[in-house]
C-alpha cells in the first residue's frame, strides 16, 4: 500500500515540475508579442514598432536573430534576459 502511494505521489510531483518548467520558460516569438508590431520585413531586415504604456510590460519573448534597438523616448526602459537576475535599465 505504501509503495503504491509513493509511486503515485512521485508521478504527480514529476508532472507538476514538468508543467511548471514549461510554463516558466515559455517564450513567444517577438512577432506574436502584442506590443511589437512588424512595420517592415524582408530578407535583410525586420523593423518593429514597440509601444509600451507606463507601468506596463511585455510578454516574455524571443528575438530569433541578432537585434539592434533604438529608443525614441525620454522614458526609462528596462530589459531583462530570462534567467538573469539583473534588470538592464536604459
Amino acid at each position: 500500500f505504501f509503495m503504491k502511494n509513493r509511486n503515485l505521489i512521485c508521478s504527480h510531483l514529476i508532472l507538476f515540475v514538468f508543467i511548471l518548467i514549461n510554463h516558466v520558460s515559455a517564450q513567444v516569438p517577438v512577432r506574436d508579442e502584442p506590443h511589437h508590431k512588424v512595420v517592415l520585413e524582408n530578407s535583410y531586415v525586420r523593423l518593429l514598432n514597440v509601444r509600451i504604456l507606463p507601468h506596463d510590460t511585455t510578454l516574455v519573448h524571443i528575438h530569433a536573430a541578432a537585434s539592434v534597438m533604438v529608443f525614441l523616448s525620454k522614458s526609462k526602459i528596462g530589459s531583462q534576459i530570462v534567467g538573469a537576475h539583473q534588470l538592464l535599465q536604459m
Side-chain angles (χ1 to χ4, degrees):
F1 176 77
F2 174 74
M3 196 63 149
K4 204 180 221 184
N5 284 339
R6 191 174 120 194
N7 289 341
L8 184 63
I9 291 170
C10 286
S11 65
H12 281 100
L13 182 61
I14 291 169
L15 180 62
F16 173 77
V17 170
F18 177 77
I19 291 170
L20 181 64
I21 288 171
N22 279 334
H23 179 71
V24 169
S25 66
Q27 296 181 17
V28 298
V30 70
R31 71 169 45 262
D32 296 336
E33 204 292 316
H35 295 88
H36 292 69
K37 304 295 180 211
V38 177
V39 176
L40 169 72
E41 184 170 21
N42 60 36
S43 57
Y44 301 104
V45 67
R46 177 174 52 211
L47 179 63
L48 301 170
N49 183 11
V50 181
R51 292 183 182 247
I52 305 167
L53 296 174
H55 308 289
D56 197 0
T57 187
T58 65
L59 299 175
V60 177
H61 59 277
I62 187 164
H63 295 260
S67 301
V68 174
M69 293 180 253
V70 178
F71 299 101
L72 303 175
S73 175
K74 293 180 182 177
S75 301
K76 289 191 176 188
I77 300 168
S79 182
Q80 187 172 15
I81 297 172
V82 174
H85 297 287
Q86 185 177 7
L87 177 67
L88 306 172
Q89 291 188 348
M90 293 154 250

